[in-house]
Amino acid sequence: MPKLGMLLDPYFLYSYLSQLEVGNARFARREDLIWYLSFIMLFVLFLDWLISLGSIWHLQALILALAYTCTQDQRGIKANFFFVDIPAQLVPYSMMLVSLIMHGPGMLYLQLCGLFAAHMYDFLTRLWPEFGGGRNLLPTPAFMSRLVPSPGRVEDHGFGRAFRPPRANDTGSSTGASTGGVLPDSWKTRGKGNRLGGD
């Protein structure tokens, strides 16, 4: 019988990574997510070297780090974990308990490295600036933005980020009529139009 990890690991990796890429406002740009993944994996490798685990396969640490980061913004929401509804923030700890039962303490140490790495990233980028009065100690470096350009949809302002919807058609004429759109073609030939109540 094949191990469950061969089925569950790709599922968890895809699920949590897509949640961070699509639905998490903290990673609005591609380079933010790549910087997060780079920090997590380098920190896990450092911890592995520091406590001499000697592991060569760190996927479990990455999956647990992704699960921890995803569920931090989902407090108060119920999540389904192996057909049991639990609070979303307990999902990483439930994953660690299942790994301890199925694989023993070796896997648990590796997952603890992932948990600590994700918590360290969360502390340096969100908890310390919001609650400690400091600044983001781990901003995405500028060279990442040059290496991995985001689509032109995100504009950074001093008060937050603005998301521009993608343009379907950039070939409009000077009168404002375009070759496509929601208006029927007969309406486009009527002129530029006037505002009601105008002069």
Side-chain angles (χ1 to χ4, degrees):
M1 178 178 167
K3 292 187 176 180
L4 279 178
M6 292 182 67
L7 299 173
L8 295 178
D9 288 350
Y11 168 74
F12 284 137
L13 185 66
Y14 173 77
S15 175
Y16 292 126
L17 196 53
S18 63
Q19 284 180 43
L20 288 180
E21 185 179 17
V22 175
N24 198 315
R26 293 175 59 193
F27 305 108
R29 303 176 304 167
R30 280 189 228 159
E31 57 265 30
D32 295 334
L33 183 60
I34 292 174
W35 179 244
Y36 163 78
L37 292 172
S38 302
F39 174 81
I40 293 296
M41 287 315 300
L42 287 174
F43 203 82
V44 165
L45 289 173
F46 172 72
L47 289 175
D48 184 12
W49 171 79
L50 189 66
I51 59 178
S52 301
L53 280 179
S55 178
I56 57 169
W57 189 249
H58 297 93
L59 183 62
Q60 292 296 321
L62 176 63
I63 290 172
L64 196 91
L66 292 171
Y68 177 83
T69 304
C70 283
T71 57
Q72 287 308 297
D73 298 328
Q74 298 174 350
R75 292 184 178 273
I77 298 174
K78 294 286 186 185
N80 191 347
F81 185 75
F82 287 116
F83 311 109
V84 178
D85 286 336
I86 60 173
Q89 68 268 18
L90 296 181
V91 168
Y93 305 106
S94 302
M95 292 172 76
M96 291 168 56
L97 179 64
V98 169
S99 289
L100 179 63
I101 292 170
M102 294 179 71
H103 301 290
M107 185 70 72
L108 181 67
Y109 295 141
L110 191 59
Q111 287 181 325
L112 281 171
C113 291
L115 180 72
F116 188 68
H119 181 70
M120 185 59 69
Y121 183 88
D122 195 38
F123 176 78
L124 293 174
T125 60
R126 185 178 66 91
L127 295 176
W128 176 248
E130 285 183 16
F131 302 109
R135 61 180 180 85
N136 182 355
L137 298 175
L138 202 63
T140 304
F143 75 87
M144 290 293 288
S145 297
R146 288 190 296 274
L147 288 175
V148 186
S150 286
R153 294 182 44 224
V154 180
E155 297 175 359
D156 287 321
H157 300 284
F159 52 84
R161 289 189 173 131
F163 297 91
R164 239 186 6 231
R167 291 188 223 172
N169 193 355
D170 288 336
T171 60
S173 64
S174 61
T175 61
S178 63
T179 58
V182 297
L183 295 176
D185 288 335
S186 62
W187 286 27
K188 293 178 188 172
T189 60
R190 304 286 181 195
K192 67 177 184 165
N194 294 313
R195 185 185 298 174
L196 292 176
D199 295 323

